[in-house]
Amino acid sequence: MDFGFTEEQRMVQEMAKSFAEKEIAPYVEQDEENHYYRREILSKMGEMGLLGWSMPEEYGGNGMGWMEAVTALYEIAKVHTSWRLSISGNCWGPAMTILEYGTDEQKKKFIPPLLSGEAVGSFAMTEANSGSDVGSMKMFAEDKGSHYVLNGSKMWISGGHTSDIGLVYVCTEEGGGPKGLSCFIIDYNNTEGIERIPINKKVGMWSAPTSELVFENAQVPKENLLGPVNKGFPICMWMLNNTRMGCATGAAALSAAALEGSVAYANERTQFGQPIGKFQLVQAQIAEMKLEDDAALQLVYRAAWLKQNKMPSQQQTSMAKLYSCKAAVNAANIAMKVYGSYGYSDEYPCGRWLRDAKQFETLEGTSNIHTTIVAGIELGYQPNR
Amino acid sequence: MNIVVLLKQTFDTEAKIVISGGKVDPTGVTLVINPYDEFAIEEALTLKEAQGEGSEITVVTAGGDVAEQALRTALAMGCDKSILVSDEALDGADEWAAAEAVAAALKDVEYDIIFAGRIAVDDASGQVAVRVAEALGIPSVSSILKFETDGTVATVTREIDGGNEIIEVPLPAMLTAQKGLNEPRLPNMMGIMKAKSKPLEKKDLAAVGKAAGDVAAKFVIDSVSLPTPREAGTILKGEAAETAPELVRLLHEEAKVI
Ligand SMILES: Cc1cc2nc3c(=O)[nH]c(=O)nc-3n(C[C@H](O)[C@H](O)[C@H](O)COP(=O)(O)OP(=O)(O)OC[C@H]3O[C@@H](n4cnc5c(N)ncnc54)[C@H](O)[C@@H]3O)c2cc1C
């Protein structure tokens, strides 16, 4: 057992923190206000090697693994939650899944631009009528011999309209349910028949674009099928077990940001002639945040450690995601109270924390779904993968 | 070119300073590379990149074992080798003693140019680099804002009262960096990975040819105190035009500055 950082991990943390302070922090307020996705931040992340986790150097990987990745993502998400998505969207989503299931050609063509930040990545399962029940998706790919023709639409896709390379899960066997899904790599800039519609009004995550994708007779070459036909469901579950770490880590970071902000505020703000932190009720709020924040982070690190060591991690990942999301929402909620009326003003980040925290409970598996996974594995209904 | 950078590990500039037992208490404080030394590292890296193959940067520091962290960070930024002079006898070293130890370590190092920070943000004495230059018998220019070299002479710019001064100095020379010289880079992930396999040589005083007695501090610190906390300012509420007379009155009668 070791609760300390290695020398590299310490440097990664220091570097990611400085990166976030220098390259992200100066734009948070203005980009939130304008709902703006600052594309160049992704390029800079790529340049610094912040997108290449657990990936071989020959494809542009940075030679580091899960522990370092969550350490870096945490520092970035603490400054601006929207930017936590880029590591899932580029690395853990498409790049890592292509590395696991792709052909040599697919790896060589699609992974390097995703890791260098030259391309924006995405992954798409959700449809208007298919969310938690992934196997019920309706978007269809018809086999035309030399290529597939895709018809249907995807909803709530992170980076959908900014993406250059993305994975799209579709039905290839009508009525097949989870056994009839396949995964395709979409080269968005070179595929006709895809309309990408930004979802401009959403509760939070204002600097991370979300989109609806409409496919109308979109031709996708055969060589862009990822893995075997009709084996998309297990690929999707494998991918989600990785990308969920982005949610878990991002949520733990948000709770830490809300805690740090609240501590600073409680030490500064005086009422009744003393800092509000001296009141026991405020102390109880700080203690509650600290306890949940710390527990969340430990769960995140444990799940990352299991992945790093190639051990079963699905239950631990679900626990990390479930608990961190709870901690994030609670911390954002408490922060709003600690800051009083100032928390309700736009000048402080409490509103953003609360808005951004709420996403975590829904995407990449709702809290109910993760509760079901944790219990299902515990009760022996499914193995821990 | 053989480039040397002198580095000191200091408290994070945002650290809360606590004094206990007549000393600044390092407990729980984040340690960083002295910010001015980061300018020195960046200038060395830029020079090395301009020189191409065959150039090498050696970073040197005197400090406790924990200073290894600062050296590793410098290596991750792109420096090639490092030397840590670490010895119990250097605990409580003054500027003279630190300079003696560093200069002694440089006896075995080839150098065409040495960069250092203008001051260290902790003690702010600005002496060590200049003393090292003196001990090595090389010229030094402090607080440079611009640097160029043809390989034998360095042309540097420094700010002086009311203008700039351009100085030509023959190499080898010691140049200390002022804020504004450059924008230090962050180490990238690949640099961090490489840092662990780059040389970090630890030397005690004996290894650099000195005995404890050679570096006994020449001055004694009597006491250390925190600056008196600043009192909260006064904010005059209201429209500028309405509050201006009151502001003038306060500046005149209370602050007595006009
Ligand atoms: C900001 C944002 C970004 C997103 N990014 C992406 C993306 O990049 N790619 C992508 O594919 N999707 C994305 N999504 C979609 C997201 O993954 C889905 O919203 C999520 O899977 C839930 O699906 P749903 O919204 O259809 O809810 P539903 O599945 O309709 O669920 C509604 C409610 O019913 C509950 N429920 C459903 N089934 C069960 C059950 N079996 N047991 C108990 N309770 C249940 C849920 O917990 C929830 O409370 C994103 C969503 C948001 C908000």
Side-chain angles (χ1 to χ4, degrees), chain A residues 201-338:
Chain A
K201 294 201 169 163
K202 57 183 197 276
V203 171
M205 300 296 284
W206 288 347
S207 298
T210 315
S211 344
E212 181 183 355
L213 304 172
V214 182
F215 290 72
E216 220 181 309
N217 293 323
Q219 289 194 15
V220 176
K222 272 248 152 109
E223 64 259 27
N224 283 18
L225 174 70
L226 182 66
V229 73
N230 292 339
K231 286 282 183 269
F233 189 76
I235 296 177
C236 182
M237 293 302 123
W238 186 89
M239 179 193 78
L240 286 173
N241 191 28
N242 296 326
T243 53
R244 278 167 181 162
M245 287 301 287
C247 272
T249 314
L254 193 152
S255 104
L259 169 63
E260 276 176 24
S262 300
V263 166
Y265 193 82
N267 278 327
E268 216 169 75
R269 173 76 175 174
T270 57
Q271 285 296 286
F272 300 97
Q274 55 183 337
I276 60 167
K278 296 281 180 188
F279 302 117
Q280 283 189 359
L281 286 172
V282 174
Q283 290 180 4
Q285 289 170 315
I286 298 292
E288 182 178 332
M289 290 167 96
K290 175 68 186 168
L291 178 64
E292 293 185 7
D293 176 61
D294 213 37
L297 187 60
Q298 303 312 317
L299 286 171
V300 165
Y301 270 120
R302 205 241 325 240
W305 186 87
L306 290 170
K307 288 183 191 317
Q308 184 64 42
N309 289 287
K310 302 205 180 321
M311 288 156 85
S313 64
Q314 195 190 9
Q315 188 187 39
Q316 288 73 19
T317 305
S318 282
M319 288 198 288
K321 169 158 192 291
L322 186 59
Y323 194 80
S324 298
C325 297
K326 227 183 232 176
V329 172
N330 196 30
N333 202 23
I334 295 176
M336 188 68 109
K337 296 184 213 177
V338 171

Side-chain angles (χ1 to χ4, degrees), chain A residues 31-68:
Chain A
D31 290 352
E32 278 284 309
E33 197 173 324
N34 300 324
H35 293 225
Y36 181 65
Y37 171 66
R38 195 170 287 276
R39 170 66 177 83
E40 60 268 29
I41 291 178
L42 187 82
S43 304
K44 287 183 185 154
M45 286 178 74
E47 261 169 51
M48 300 307 284
L50 288 166
L51 299 172
W53 311 102
S54 308
M55 301 295 288
E57 284 173 44
E58 60 173 312
Y59 299 122
N62 64 21
M64 298 195 198
W66 282 98
M67 298 298 279
E68 293 77 22

